């Protein structure tokens, strides 16, 4: 002890003098971690455990180092060490080979050696026994490919066997247990810790004893300080059997605490046997007692359960009663339940206390006395309905829903509704249960609603009748009006005829006289006869136009449809106007570039041309009138009349086609005419299935465009009567 | 001398037509109703019949048909007097068997010209 303290002291001095002790570790140390129980491993919480981490922790705590573990397989960790990614690699055997690759400290942490395990009885006693076997080994382990490792051993003895490499010792044991390998090579620590678990046997052959300790990357900065400090502590601990080092070993089952004397074993065995005997006896007795007790407890528990159940049942019953009472008292109706026998007598099954509240004091009391009494108060009409419905329910689906009146007292009747269900009983009676609801308010409202509805219906009916009457009257008036209109037209048509007949003779005789057939005329006589002739012709034109219009309006106008060369037909009509135009020194042009045939009424078209073009000539003083005909499309052609006359004001456009409306009354004298020409033309155009359009700018002439069908459809024609 | 039968119910018109015809050296016989007109036409065989359309008993169209239905009336020249405004009268007249039509009111000058041309037709038969 003393010597070691002195040694340590001397070492301190030596180190300080070398300046090494002054050097400190100023960053966390990265330490390799891999699974090699019990020396080093990672537990469930991912913490580093085992002999090496424990020792390192003691040193680190004392020195104030921070440790960070880097986990990997043995191989991976060695790789990290080589690359300098970790500062310390625990549990490395310092072989000659490895000393070239890594730096090591001096003092061993543990001493290890290789062991061979087999599944069955031990059979490997020396290297030659491995001949022809399959051997599982740890990849990269010094026990595998170290100087005195199994590979070299086999080679040295010239033994031929197969090797299977596993990533860790557990893998090695797995291979042996599964039979994939005949034998497995592990270190002594792992072997002792896991042989029972894997059911493997240790063989009488060990090899390659090695010192295990910490390795450092070759030439790394901290190597000196780390190796010196580690050696310092190990040296200190090795010499003291109570030190942390031995405690750690003991904790990991690597160092027996105390050695027992030889006699202790049998003594302990004997004592243990006695104790076990006592325990068995005690247990037997206790079992007997507890069995009886258990039976008693069971019986007791059952009794208690029954008592509890009874309590629960009572509680439930009470609860149910309470619920029922609450239900019956709070339901907005009167609950009933009675049995009805074959004679119709009813026996109530419940005793209510709300009858008076519901049915009034008299009916209520009497109903409580005897449920049959209730029915005496039901309206005599309604009781029949109840009886009828009840019989139906008893015979049918068992459900009753009926509304009825109850005479509460002399002056008061109330509406109730009974909803009930009837079920037949074994004794032939019927059990009725249900609820009586007060529907008086609703019924009254319904009645009011019904009255109102009826009132509304009546109102609607009377309004409808009024409307019908009005409609009929209107229809009648309309019919009368149409009839009158037609009569007017017929009247005008026949009147025109009657007017025309005498006019014929006036015109005829005037003609004879003017011809000089009767004798020579004086100038004055001739002048006056000319006036008669002119007036008569004007009158005739008027009559003829009125006749035309009347006929069209009376639907009596007839069309005389034929194929017409429209170019020639219009030319013909225009030639009749040539005199009038030249009298006013107006140009009268006619343009029709295409010859085509239309199916229409020649005389009606002529009427249109003469009326419109004649009109244009009449209202044009300077310039001229151009009549043009052209095809619009396959169905229509257009007849247009353009003049350079006085034009029409916008506000007068509407009046244009009205009868006897010459726009400017001051013009009346200047422009003579029947005043019916355009009106008639419009009617004729419509009759032919066409339309008429006017464009005009006041003072700048007027254009009429008449669109007419190329083939006029024959309308329903009525027989004419002239 | 040519002979023309005028069937016309209106006295004034009958007088006018007769006066024009006679002034032109034409013999005139007349009837004021349809049925006697038909009878006269068939019996007298005039060179020309001037037939008004509206007559008191049967109208001019029916009268024309009756004349045409008779063997004696087949070749007679019948000219209807139609009104200007009465569309269809001309067609009806031709359909009923009239040789032609003239328009009322009568323009004496035009009228006599037309009468003469119809009498010419008769000559050519």
């Amino acid at each position: 002890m003393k010597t070691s303290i002195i040694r340590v002291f001397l070492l301190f001095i030596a180190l300080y003098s070398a300046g090494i002790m002054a050097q400190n570790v100023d960053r966390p140390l990265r330490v390799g971690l891999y699974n090699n129980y019990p020396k080093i491993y990672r537990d469930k919480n991912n913490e580093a455990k085992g002999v090496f981490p424990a020792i390192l922790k003691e040193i680190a705590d004392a020195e104030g180092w921070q440790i960070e573990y880097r986990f990997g397989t043995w191989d991976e960790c060695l790789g990290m060490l080589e690359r300098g990614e970790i500062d310390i690699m625990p549990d490395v055997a310092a072989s000659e080979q490895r000393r070239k690759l890594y730096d090591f400290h001096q003092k061993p942490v543990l001493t290890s050696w290789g062991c061979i395990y087999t599944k069955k009885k031990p059979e490997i006693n020396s290297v030659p026994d491995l001949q022809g076997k399959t051997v599982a080994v740890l990849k990269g382990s010094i026990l595998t490919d170290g100087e005195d490792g199994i590979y070299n051993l086999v080679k040295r003895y010239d033994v031929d066997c197969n090797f299977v490499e596993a990533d860790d010792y557990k893998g090695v044991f797995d291979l042996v247990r599964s039979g994939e390998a005949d034998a497995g090579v592990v270190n002594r620590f792992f072997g002792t810790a896991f042989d029972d678990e894997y059911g493997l046997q240790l063989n009488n052959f060990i090899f390659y004893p090695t010192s295990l300790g910490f390795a450092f990357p070759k030439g790394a900065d901290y190597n000196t300080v780390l190796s010196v400090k580690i050696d310092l502590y190990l040296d200190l601990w090795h010499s003291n059997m109570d030190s942390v080092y031995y405690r750690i070993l003991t904790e990991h089952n690597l160092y027996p605490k105390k050695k027992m004397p030889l006699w202790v074993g049998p003594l302990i065995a004997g004592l243990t046997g006695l104790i076990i005997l006592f325990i068995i006896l005690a247990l037997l007795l206790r079992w007997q007692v507890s069995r009886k007790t258990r039976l008693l407890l069971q019986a007791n528990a059952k009794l208690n359960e029954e008592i509890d159940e009874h309590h629960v049942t009572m509680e439930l019953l009470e609860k149910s009663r309470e619920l029922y009472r609450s239900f019956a008292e709070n339901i907005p109706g009167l609950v009933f339940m009675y049995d009805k026998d074959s004679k119709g007598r009813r026996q109530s099954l419940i005793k209510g206390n709300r009858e008076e509240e519901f049915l009034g004091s008299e009916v209520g009391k009497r109903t409580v006395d005897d449920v049959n009494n209730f029915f005496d108060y039901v309206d005599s009409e309604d009781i029949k309905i109840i009886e009828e419905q009840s019989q139906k329910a008893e015979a049918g689906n068992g459900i009753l829903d009926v509304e009825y009146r109850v005479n509460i007292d002399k002056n008061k009747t109330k509406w109730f509704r009974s909803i009930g269900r009837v079920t037949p009983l074994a004794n032939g009676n019927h059990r009725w249960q249900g609820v009586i609801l007060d529907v008086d308010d609703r019924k009254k409202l319904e009645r009011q609603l019904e009255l109102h509805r009826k009132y509304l219906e009546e109102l609607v009916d009377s309004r409808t009748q009024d409307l019908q009457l009005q409609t009929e009257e209107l229809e009648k008036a309309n019919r009368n009006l149409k009839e009158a209109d037609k009569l007017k037209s017929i009247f005008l048509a026949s009147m025109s005829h009657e007017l025309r007949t005498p006019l014929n003779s006036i015109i005829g005789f005037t003609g004879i006289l003017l011809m000089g057939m009767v004798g020579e005329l004086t100038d004055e006589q001739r002048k006056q006869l000319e006036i008669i002739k002119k007036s008569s012709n004007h009158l005739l034109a008027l009559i003829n136009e009125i006749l035309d219009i009347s006929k069209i309006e009376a639907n009596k106008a007839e069309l005389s449809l034929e194929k017409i060369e429209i170019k020639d037909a219009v030319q013909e009509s225009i030639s009749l106007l040539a005199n009038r135009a030249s009298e006013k020194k107006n140009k009268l042009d006619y343009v029709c570039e295409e010859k085509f045939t239309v199916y229409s009424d020649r005389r009606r078209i002529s009427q249109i041309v003469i009326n419109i073009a004649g009109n244009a000539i009449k209202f044009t003083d300077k310039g001229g009138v151009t009549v043009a005909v052209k095809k619009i499309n396959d169905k229509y052609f257009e007849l247009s009349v353009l003049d350079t006359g006085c034009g029409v004001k916008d506000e007068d456009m509407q009046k244009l086609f009205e009868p006897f409306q010459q726009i400017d009354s001051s013009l009346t004298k200047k422009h003579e005419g029947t005043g019916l020409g355009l009106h008639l033309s419009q009617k004729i155009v419509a009759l032919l299935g066409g339309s008429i359009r006017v464009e005009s700018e006041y003072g700048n002439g007027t254009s009429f465009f008449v669109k007419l069908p190329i083939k006029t459809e024959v309308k329903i024609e009525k027989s004419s009567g002239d | 001398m040519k002979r023309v039968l005028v069937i016309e119910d209106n006295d004034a018109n009958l007088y006018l037509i007769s006066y024009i015809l006679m002034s032109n050296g034409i013999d005139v016989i007349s009837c004021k109703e349809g049925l006697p007109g038909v009878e006269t036409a068939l019996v007298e065989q005039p060179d020309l019949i001037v037939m008004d359309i509206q007559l008191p008993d049967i109208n001019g169209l029916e009268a024309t048909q009756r004349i045409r239905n008779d063997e004696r009336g087949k070749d007679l020249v019948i000219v209807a007097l139609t009104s200007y405004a009465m569309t269809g009268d001309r067609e009806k007249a031709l359909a009923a068997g009239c040789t032609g039509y003239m328009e009322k009111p009568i323009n004496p000058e035009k009228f006599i010209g037309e009468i003469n041309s119809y009498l010419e037709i008769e000559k050519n038969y």
Side-chain angles (χ1 to χ4, degrees):
Chain A
M1 185 77 122
K2 268 182 187 167
T3 50
S4 67
I5 290 170
I6 293 164
R7 265 159 65 194
V8 171
F9 180 70
L10 287 174
L11 194 66
F12 263 106
I13 293 172
L15 290 172
Y16 268 117
S17 58
I20 289 165
M21 294 309 279
Q23 191 183 359
N24 212 349
V25 178
D26 53 6
R27 62 165 167 81
L29 293 168
R30 298 159 299 174
V31 180
L33 174 65
Y34 58 98
N35 283 328
N36 193 354
Y37 184 86
K39 294 185 287 180
I40 179 166
Y41 62 96
R42 193 165 67 161
D43 73 355
K44 283 178 209 158
N45 302 324
N46 284 336
E47 280 175 19
K49 288 285 159 68
V51 179
F52 282 88
I55 287 169
L56 193 61
K57 187 175 184 297
E58 289 297 330
I59 300 169
D61 285 351
E63 287 296 322
W65 297 340
Q66 276 179 288
I67 303 289
E68 281 177 7
Y69 282 96
R70 299 288 161 92
F71 185 78
T73 63
W74 165 250
D75 262 358
E76 286 166 356
C77 287
L78 280 183
M80 286 192 267
L81 185 65
E82 268 174 55
R83 292 190 298 274
E85 289 165 14
I86 51 176
D87 302 303
I88 301 173
M89 174 66 179
D91 190 22
V92 184
S95 64
E96 283 306 311
Q97 219 174 348
R98 282 184 183 157
R99 281 184 198 283
K100 289 172 194 163
L101 295 170
Y102 325 113
D103 287 341
F104 290 87
H105 58 104
Q106 300 293 318
K107 306 284 175 189
V109 177
L110 289 172
T111 307
S112 179
W113 52 79
C115 305
I116 292 191
Y117 282 84
T118 52
K119 198 173 176 183
K120 292 164 194 164
K121 60 181 171 48
E123 52 186 342
I124 312 296
N125 297 316
S126 60
V127 178
D129 288 342
L130 289 170
Q131 177 70 39
K133 306 279 185 208
T134 301
V135 183
V137 296
L138 173 63
K139 190 178 177 184
S141 166
I142 192 161
L143 294 175
T144 307
D145 50 12
E147 290 136 348
D148 292 319
I150 193 80
Y151 284 4
N152 284 336
L153 278 181
V154 169
K155 213 179 279 175
R156 232 171 271 162
Y157 284 87
D158 205 15
V159 167
D160 188 18
C161 63
N162 298 321
F163 289 102
V164 193
E165 291 188 339
D167 280 330
D168 54 27
Y169 282 138
K170 288 194 175 185
V172 172
F173 267 16
D174 278 333
L175 287 167
V176 179
R177 184 168 60 178
S178 69
E180 284 172 69
D182 301 309
V185 175
V186 296
N187 66 34
R188 69 168 178 110
F189 303 109
F190 184 83
T192 348
F194 289 98
D195 54 358
D196 285 345
E197 189 184 326
Y198 282 84
L200 302 182
Q201 304 292 325
L202 175 67
N203 287 253
N204 293 329
F205 175 72
I206 59 166
F207 64 100
Y208 203 0
T210 47
S211 296
L212 300 175
F214 298 98
F216 314 110
K218 195 77 184 166
D221 289 345
Y222 289 135
N223 289 359
T224 317
V225 66
L226 291 179
S227 60
V228 166
K229 293 258 164 125
I230 288 168
D231 281 338
L232 189 67
Y233 283 98
L234 284 173
D235 205 26
L236 203 62
W237 292 337
H238 280 164
S239 51
N240 181 1
M241 291 300 280
D242 296 324
S243 70
V244 176
Y245 174 77
Y246 289 104
R247 184 171 53 77
I248 289 169
L249 289 190
T250 312
E251 274 171 14
H252 290 86
N253 294 325
L254 295 178
Y255 191 82
K257 231 176 181 177
K258 275 171 191 165
K259 290 206 171 147
M260 287 184 292
L262 278 175
W263 52 266
V264 174
L267 186 69
I268 289 174
L271 280 172
T272 313
L274 270 174
I275 289 166
I276 288 169
L277 204 69
F278 275 116
I279 289 171
I280 288 169
L281 274 170
L283 282 176
L284 208 67
L285 277 171
R286 187 179 285 181
W287 178 75
Q288 286 267 352
V289 172
S290 73
R291 199 172 66 93
K292 294 270 180 189
T293 316
R294 201 164 59 239
L295 284 175
L296 273 171
L297 282 173
Q298 272 175 5
N300 195 28
K302 206 170 179 187
L303 203 64
N304 278 336
E305 259 174 41
E306 274 169 16
I307 291 167
D308 283 351
E309 254 172 48
H310 183 68
H311 275 304
V312 169
T313 312
M314 291 299 282
E315 262 174 39
L316 282 175
L317 199 64
E318 189 50 42
K319 222 177 202 171
S320 164
R321 271 187 196 143
E322 177 58 31
L323 269 177
Y324 167 74
R325 198 181 56 77
S326 169
F327 168 73
E329 280 179 11
N330 290 307
I331 191 174
L334 190 62
V335 176
F336 65 82
M337 186 195 258
Y338 56 77
D339 285 352
K340 189 172 147 195
D341 65 18
S342 52
K343 288 172 194 162
R345 291 297 297 173
R346 301 171 180 88
Q347 181 71 48
S348 185
L349 299 172
I350 49 172
K351 181 104 184 139
N353 54 4
R354 298 175 73 207
E355 274 76 359
E356 286 185 43
E357 174 196 331
F358 248 80
L359 306 172
S361 57
E362 188 193 336
V363 185
K365 257 181 207 156
R366 297 260 293 133
T367 304
V368 172
D369 290 345
D370 183 349
V371 73
N372 289 294
N373 290 339
F374 173 72
F375 295 89
D376 296 341
Y377 292 94
V378 175
D379 181 271
S380 55
E381 284 295 315
D382 296 348
I383 192 79
K384 286 178 199 160
I385 299 170
I386 294 181
E387 291 295 341
E388 198 180 297
Q389 296 285 329
S390 300
Q391 274 168 22
K392 258 190 201 168
E394 283 167 12
N397 64 356
I399 290 169
L400 173 82
D401 188 348
V402 66
E403 289 178 352
Y404 51 87
R405 281 159 290 186
V406 174
N407 300 313
I408 297 295
D409 56 44
K410 277 178 197 166
N411 307 316
K412 199 175 169 193
T413 304
K414 260 180 109 173
W415 276 94
F416 289 95
R417 176 183 179 184
S418 278
I419 306 168
R421 180 180 280 276
V422 60
T423 39
L425 299 175
N427 59 6
N429 290 352
H430 284 93
R431 174 156 298 170
W432 278 93
Q433 41 199 332
V435 66
I436 297 172
L437 304 171
D438 183 344
V439 293
D440 201 51
D441 289 346
R442 200 200 76 207
K443 272 286 177 184
K444 277 174 184 157
L445 276 174
E446 272 180 11
R447 208 159 51 228
Q448 279 178 11
L449 212 62
E450 179 64 18
L451 280 172
H452 196 66
R453 193 181 62 78
K454 272 187 184 157
Y455 168 71
L456 280 176
E457 262 179 16
E458 278 167 16
L459 202 65
V460 168
D461 280 352
S462 95
R463 289 280 158 85
T464 310
Q465 272 177 5
D466 286 355
L467 269 175
Q468 271 173 353
L469 276 173
Q470 279 177 16
T471 310
E472 274 168 25
E473 274 171 22
L474 275 173
E475 275 172 1
K476 201 175 160 191
N478 199 20
R479 272 201 304 277
N480 288 344
L481 214 61
K482 276 185 183 167
E483 193 60 30
D485 196 48
K486 208 172 162 187
L487 280 172
K488 180 206 80 179
S489 296
I490 292 168
F491 169 74
L492 276 173
S494 51
M495 192 188 73
S496 302
H497 176 76
E498 296 304 328
L499 285 173
R500 204 163 41 178
T501 309
L503 199 54
N504 280 341
S505 40
I506 293 170
I507 291 168
F509 283 113
T510 312
I512 291 173
L513 289 171
L514 279 169
M515 274 175 76
M517 279 170 79
V518 186
E520 284 296 312
L521 297 172
T522 65
D523 288 347
E524 192 55 34
Q525 283 169 332
R526 179 168 295 275
K527 186 181 163 191
Q528 288 176 7
L529 280 170
E530 288 286 357
I531 292 169
I532 294 172
K533 187 187 170 189
K534 200 177 170 191
S535 299
S536 306
N537 279 327
H538 184 78
L539 187 57
L540 184 68
L542 257 176
I543 291 166
N544 281 335
E545 283 175 0
I546 288 172
L547 187 60
D548 266 339
I549 292 165
S550 304
K551 280 193 153 189
I552 292 170
E553 284 179 349
N555 280 333
K556 284 199 163 186
E558 284 180 27
L559 291 175
S560 174
L561 299 174
E562 58 183 324
K563 279 188 178 177
I564 305 163
E565 283 297 336
I566 191 68
K567 186 176 181 180
D568 300 342
V570 174
Q571 179 68 62
E572 224 170 84
S573 305
I574 287 170
S575 62
L576 295 174
L577 296 165
N579 277 342
R580 280 199 237 171
S582 61
E583 269 171 30
K584 291 199 75 178
K585 290 175 185 167
N586 276 334
K587 272 175 74 183
L588 178 58
D589 293 326
Y590 175 51
V591 183
C592 180
E593 288 176 351
E594 188 189 355
K595 267 200 166 189
F596 56 98
T597 313
V598 300
Y599 186 72
S600 196
D601 186 319
R602 183 189 294 270
R603 202 171 64 83
R604 295 296 187 189
I605 289 176
S606 179
Q607 269 183 298
I608 296 167
V609 174
I610 288 169
N611 273 321
I612 299 176
N615 219 40
I617 292 165
K618 197 158 61 186
F619 290 100
T620 303
D621 291 331
K622 288 173 189 171
V625 174
T626 306
V627 179
V629 171
K630 67 172 183 188
K631 230 181 194 176
I632 298 174
N633 51 36
D634 288 347
K635 288 190 170 174
Y636 292 96
F637 69 100
E638 184 184 76
L639 170 71
S640 55
V641 178
L642 281 65
D643 68 48
T644 57
C646 54
V648 185
K649 286 179 187 164
D650 282 349
E651 60 263 36
D652 291 328
M653 276 294 194
Q654 283 182 323
K655 289 188 194 168
L656 212 54
F657 293 100
E658 283 174 23
F660 303 114
Q661 289 284 342
Q662 249 178 21
I663 304 305
D664 188 348
S665 54
S666 70
L667 290 174
T668 316
K669 284 178 183 169
K670 197 175 167 189
H671 308 287
E672 286 177 15
T674 59
L676 289 169
L678 287 181
H679 183 63
L680 176 61
S681 295
Q682 194 188 32
K683 296 242 175 231
I684 294 169
V685 169
L687 187 67
L688 290 172
S691 58
I692 197 164
R693 179 166 62 87
V694 191
E695 282 174 14
S696 182
E697 197 182 321
Y698 186 61
N700 267 329
T702 310
S703 305
F704 282 82
F705 301 95
V706 179
K707 184 180 163 191
L708 288 168
I710 285 173
K711 187 176 190 308
T712 305
E713 299 294 327
V714 185
K715 288 187 180 173
I716 301 158
E717 290 174 16
K718 290 181 184 172
S719 64
S720 78
D722 186 8
Chain B
M1 199 178 180
K2 297 287 179 190
R3 212 157 42 122
V4 174
L5 170 60
V6 181
I7 306 172
E8 164 67 76
D9 66 327
N10 184 281
D11 285 334
N13 271 343
L14 182 58
Y15 173 53
L16 174 67
I17 294 165
S18 303
Y19 188 88
I20 296 168
L21 292 172
M22 286 191 290
S23 300
N24 284 277
I26 295 163
D27 197 6
V28 176
I29 43 176
S30 65
C31 280
K32 291 169 81 173
E33 287 175 36
L35 290 168
V38 172
E39 195 55 36
T40 310
L42 296 173
V43 174
E44 297 292 331
Q45 295 286 307
D47 298 302
L48 180 69
I49 301 162
V50 174
M51 178 81 79
D52 190 21
I53 296 296
Q54 205 171 53
L55 294 169
D57 49 355
I58 56 167
N59 71 29
L61 301 176
E62 198 186 332
T64 305
Q65 276 170 339
R66 288 189 182 215
I67 293 167
R68 291 291 185 226
N69 285 344
D70 194 296
E71 197 57 36
R72 294 167 289 170
K74 276 208 165 68
D75 296 330
L76 292 175
V77 179
I78 306 171
V79 178
L81 276 177
T82 61
S83 290
Y84 157 77
M86 294 285 109
T87 310
D89 274 5
R90 299 165 180 192
E91 289 75 11
K92 281 180 201 158
L94 295 179
C98 290
T99 316
Y101 51 81
M102 287 187 290
E103 233 172 49
K104 280 206 274 188
I106 291 160
N107 176 333
E109 225 166 320
K110 203 174 157 197
F111 183 76
I112 196 66
E114 282 174 333
I115 292 287
N116 280 330
S117 65
Y118 282 115
L119 288 172
E120 285 299 310
I121 296 168
E122 200 270 338
K123 255 184 211 167
N124 295 339
Y125 272 112

